[in-house]
Amino acid sequence: MNILRTALIVVFLSIPFIADADGQDSCAVTVARRPMINVKAQGATGDGVTDDSKALQRAIDQASAVRGVVFVPDGIYLIDAVKGIRLKSDVILSLSDNAIIKAAPNGSATFSILRIENVSNVAVMGGVLLGERYEHLGKSGEWGMGLWLAAANNIVIKNLVSKNNWGDGFYLGGDSKDVKFCAVLADGNRRQGMSIVSGENILVSDSSFINTKGAPPQAGLDIEPNAKQMVKGVKIVNSRFCNNSGPGIVTYAAFGPSRASIFDIEINENVVCKNDNSGISIFNTSAFKIIGNKLKENKGNSIFLDPKTRAGLVTRNKIFHDDLSNGVHIINRGINTVSDNYSY
């Protein structure tokens, strides 16, 4: 215990972490008497030059033994994203507003700055994940992620910026459950702002997904399960999807024998604007709701529902001055209810 004494501070605070009794709609949890471990006490420099990978991982490993909080103060923490920083169960990673975890340039096609995989009860709050898309040493691949999350349960990501990644700002897969993204920002990523590939009971609220450009699909948020995978129970609310080279929001389950499925999706009260493709595109998806969104100046269709969509409700959406040279306001080719939408 003497070894830990210089690194641990018992902290009394209330921070977002575990879901409340009502499920999806809250990011709040009370955390009391959790040890706090400062990464500087584990040898991290935050000077933007030194490789701080081992120091950050040491702090996380130490926190996992005591259900602790890892604190990252202001600074630029250069890390080897090919190895990545791996979160562990029952650990909270708390970054100050001016703390940046930066990926060192590499030539790999697949990597991630932070990895949350096969764990539960994890939170990441604050700070910036800064990718290396403009310093990347190769040209192949599109899977350099800011945050990779797979086979994880009861996760909260809040006030985290993920920008300039070779692939996606945020990637979620592996049948993860009970995951919340609250007030996050994905900006300037190459492939997607966020991909949801597999999971259940997922909340995206009060967040922004902007300026995605470089490798298709280039969407703000893409829900797209792989073969034999399912995405179920996604709620996207009060968020912004703008200036992406692909759609603002797209759901796509592959047709045919892949047996991918998407259902129970809510897209409510968002702003979807100035995307170079459609505002919202829905493919092969059932039991979805698109309610009360504002769609502005998207270059494709404002809302597109393909022939495989069913049991959808599209209502009370407002469409403002879209560039309709490549599309129309709302196309419904499936078996859905579309009513009381407004164009201005």
Side-chain angles (χ1 to χ4, degrees):
M1 196 64 184
N2 291 336
I3 295 173
L4 300 181
R5 205 165 282 161
T6 58
L8 300 184
I9 302 171
V10 177
V11 61
F12 299 83
L13 71 166
S14 177
I15 58 176
F17 189 32
I18 300 171
D20 63 5
D22 295 327
Q24 275 190 338
D25 295 327
S26 171
C27 288
V29 148
T30 298
V31 176
R33 302 188 68 89
R34 278 182 174 256
M36 179 177 283
I37 301 171
N38 191 317
V39 296
K40 291 288 186 76
Q42 297 301 312
T45 65
D47 63 7
V49 177
T50 305
D51 185 348
D52 285 325
S53 303
K54 290 182 180 179
L56 266 64
Q57 193 63 59
R58 273 196 303 269
I60 291 167
D61 294 347
Q62 192 176 93
S64 70
V66 293
R67 300 184 70 249
V69 179
V70 175
F71 177 64
V72 184
D74 290 358
I76 300 174
Y77 299 83
L78 190 69
I79 67 106
D80 179 357
V82 177
K83 294 181 179 177
I85 304 300
R86 293 180 176 266
L87 274 293
K88 295 190 173 182
S89 292
D90 301 308
V91 169
I92 297 168
L93 180 63
S94 177
L95 297 92
S96 69
D97 290 343
N98 295 311
I100 299 170
I101 301 178
K102 184 181 187 303
N106 68 79
S108 178
T110 304
F111 56 95
S112 57
I113 297 173
L114 286 185
R115 199 170 190 98
I116 303 175
E117 188 170 16
N118 294 310
V119 297
S120 59
N121 305 324
V122 170
V124 180
M125 305 180 303
V128 178
L129 304 181
L130 181 60
E132 45 76 271
R133 67 169 294 182
Y134 298 113
E135 305 166 280
H136 192 66
L137 302 178
K139 295 183 179 181
S140 64
E142 55 190 39
W143 304 283
M145 313 305 189
L147 176 67
W148 175 289
L149 195 154
N153 299 315
N154 198 23
I155 310 297
V156 171
I157 312 297
K158 184 168 185 178
N159 292 328
L160 177 65
V161 176
S162 186
K163 62 186 295 184
N164 295 349
N165 290 287
W166 185 246
D168 304 354
F170 302 93
Y171 179 95
L172 189 154
D175 297 320
S176 297
K177 294 182 180 179
D178 301 320
V179 181
K180 300 178 181 181
F181 296 89
C182 307
V184 303
L185 169 63
D187 184 8
N189 297 293
R190 182 168 168 265
R191 191 184 77 145
Q192 316 270 41
M194 175 184 284
S195 294
I196 301 176
V197 175
S198 174
E200 182 176 352
N201 195 22
I202 300 158
L203 172 68
V204 178
S205 73
D206 302 293
S207 297
S208 293
F209 303 86
I210 60 175
N211 303 322
T212 311
K213 183 177 182 178
Q218 306 172 109
L221 189 154
D222 182 7
I223 300 175
E224 187 173 348
N226 295 321
K228 300 181 181 179
Q229 292 185 325
M230 175 186 71
V231 177
K232 174 187 177 182
V234 179
K235 189 172 184 179
I236 304 165
V237 295
N238 297 322
S239 294
R240 188 168 176 264
F241 304 85
C242 295
N243 298 308
N244 301 291
S245 290
I249 301 171
V250 60
T251 72
Y252 182 87
F255 307 114
S258 73
R259 290 186 288 172
S261 62
I262 306 171
F263 59 99
D264 189 16
I265 308 296
E266 294 187 31
I267 303 172
N268 300 341
E269 308 293 337
N270 302 284
V271 174
V272 185
C273 65
K274 297 184 178 180
N275 297 289
D276 289 343
N277 202 295
S278 295
I280 300 172
S281 291
I282 310 295
F283 296 87
N284 196 18
T285 300
S286 62
F288 59 90
K289 297 177 181 178
I290 303 174
I291 300 175
N293 301 280
K294 294 180 180 179
L295 297 106
K296 302 179 180 181
E297 301 177 44
N298 298 291
K299 292 185 178 179
N301 306 305
S302 297
I303 299 174
F304 175 80
L305 313 176
D306 96 308
K308 295 289 186 179
T309 56
R310 51 223 173 266
L313 173 64
V314 179
T315 188
R316 301 199 306 274
N317 299 286
K318 296 180 180 180
I319 299 171
F320 296 88
H321 306 296
D322 276 24
D323 178 356
L324 297 178
S325 60
N326 297 318
V328 299
H329 290 310
I330 299 176
I331 293 180
N332 176 23
R333 292 181 177 167
I335 305 173
N336 308 292
T337 300
V338 178
S339 65
D340 299 318
N341 298 284
Y342 306 96
S343 298
Y344 299 91

